[in-house]
């Protein structure tokens, strides 16, 4: 009969190797985020606490601009909902898996990101390993990697003096990489092209300073209306 400590240790030892590839990506991207925050005038405590409490990846990059701009809670709400809307579908897929006892369930819900979802959804967890503790440690380790990178970036940016002009382009680069990654995974590019087309139309109509929210609303409406057609074409599942 295993003790609770042995169960927890076994789950950690099983989960840790699964998160090693995430470690490299999260730490380096987190460092870029921390340096970006520092270059924008924020103390290292900001990226550390924001990565700890928000844990929203691309949203945290967007928040930098929101903090520096005029107070606009509606815009912040809309941007956050649109950027992380995919998590609603992640949550539906994980309803059964995350039906675990104790407070772990709430942390699993809070800490779910793309990478944790991918591992927890697809991992072949050995029968003798507690699944709830396995998913908990996957989520916890990924969360820790992100906080570590953001904190190091915030400290590094404050200690090392170098020309950070143009570093704000890291957010644009991040979204370009995310878009290209999704483009390469798609079997059909209709939904991506709709996104680009609607964004271009709104950019022309509303200008560069006001096009994001109308573009997101329009993309959502068009994709919803064309859902049946896109599903037949294999653009969405």
């Amino acid at each position: 009969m295993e003790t609770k400590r042995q169960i927890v240790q076994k789950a950690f030892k099983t989960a840790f190797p699964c998160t090693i590839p995430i470690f490299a990506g999260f730490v380096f991207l987190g460092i870029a985020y921390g340096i970006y925050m520092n270059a924008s005038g924020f103390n290292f405590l900001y990226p550390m606490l924001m990565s700890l409490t928000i844990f929203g990846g691309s949203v945290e990059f967007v928040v930098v601009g929101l903090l520096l701009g005029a107070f606009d809670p509606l815009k912040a709400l809309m941007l956050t909902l649109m950027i992380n809307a995919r998590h609603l579908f992640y949550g539906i897929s994980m309803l059964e898996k995350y039906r675990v006892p104790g407070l772990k369930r709430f942390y699993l819900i809070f800490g779910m990101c793309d990478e944790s979802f991918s591992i927890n959804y697809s991992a072949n967890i050995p029968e003798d390993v507690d699944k709830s503790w396995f998913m908990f440690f996957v989520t916890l380790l990924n969360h820790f990697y992100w906080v570590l990178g953001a904190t190091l970036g915030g400290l590094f940016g404050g200690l090392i003096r170098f020309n950070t002009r143009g570093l704000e382009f890291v957010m644009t680069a991040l979204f370009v990489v995310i878009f290209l990654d999704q483009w390469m995974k798609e079997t059909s590019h209709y939904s991506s092209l709709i996104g680009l087309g609607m964004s271009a139309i709104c950019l022309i109509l509303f200008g560069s300073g006001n096009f994001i929210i109308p573009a997101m609303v329009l993309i959502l409406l068009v994709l919803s209306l064309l859902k049946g057609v896109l599903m037949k074409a294999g653009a969405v599942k």
Side-chain angles (χ1 to χ4, degrees):
M1 184 71 179
E2 289 183 312
T3 64
K4 183 175 181 179
R5 182 175 181 179
Q6 291 173 320
I7 292 173
V8 172
Q9 287 179 338
K10 183 183 290 184
F12 179 83
K13 290 177 180 177
T14 307
F16 177 64
C18 299
T19 67
I20 291 177
I22 311 303
F23 169 79
F26 268 25
V27 169
F28 281 102
L29 189 57
I31 288 174
Y33 165 63
I35 293 176
Y36 176 49
M37 284 288 288
N38 187 275
S40 300
F42 294 97
N43 185 281
F44 82 96
L45 291 174
Y46 281 85
M48 183 179 74
L49 294 176
M50 285 171 60
S51 59
L52 184 66
T53 56
I54 298 177
F55 193 39
S58 48
V59 168
E60 292 176 48
F61 282 90
V62 173
V63 167
V64 180
L66 295 175
L67 288 174
L68 294 173
F71 180 65
D72 191 344
L74 178 61
K75 181 180 179 181
L77 176 64
M78 289 295 295
L79 281 173
T80 304
L81 283 176
M82 294 302 294
I83 292 173
N84 281 342
R86 64 190 185 283
H87 287 203
L88 295 174
F89 301 98
Y90 292 170
I92 293 173
S93 303
M94 300 299 283
L95 281 176
E96 288 302 320
K97 286 180 176 287
Y98 278 5
R99 202 181 297 277
V100 300
L103 296 176
K104 290 196 292 291
R105 178 193 308 178
F106 299 102
Y107 181 68
L108 289 173
I109 294 171
F110 162 76
M112 186 165 60
C113 60
D114 296 347
E115 292 73 11
S116 297
F117 168 77
S118 299
I119 295 173
N120 288 334
Y121 186 82
S122 59
N124 293 317
I125 306 171
E127 290 293 331
D128 60 339
V129 174
D130 186 283
K131 292 181 174 54
S132 65
W133 279 112
F134 172 88
M135 294 189 294
F136 172 81
F137 282 123
V138 166
T139 305
L140 180 66
L141 287 167
N142 288 342
H143 193 182
F144 171 72
Y145 301 151
W146 179 250
V147 175
L148 175 65
T151 304
L152 289 175
L155 288 170
F156 178 77
L159 295 174
I160 304 299
R161 300 295 178 188
F162 63 97
N163 186 1
T164 58
R165 184 178 180 182
L167 189 61
E168 64 274 11
F169 184 72
V170 69
M171 190 174 75
T172 305
L174 171 68
F175 284 105
V176 170
V177 170
I178 292 173
F179 176 79
L180 291 176
D181 183 59
Q182 291 299 315
W183 179 278
M184 294 175 68
K185 291 178 181 176
E186 291 173 345
T187 55
S188 171
H189 301 305
Y190 289 122
S191 56
S192 295
L193 292 173
I194 287 173
L196 290 173
M198 296 302 104
S199 299
I201 291 172
C202 289
L203 180 62
I204 295 171
L205 293 177
F206 300 100
S208 60
N210 302 299
F211 83 100
I212 293 180
I213 291 180
M216 289 180 170
V217 173
L218 192 58
I219 290 169
L220 182 61
L221 288 175
V222 172
L223 289 178
S224 299
L225 291 173
L226 298 179
K227 181 181 177 182
V229 177
L230 294 172
M231 287 182 71
K232 289 181 180 178
V236 297
K237 298 179 180 178

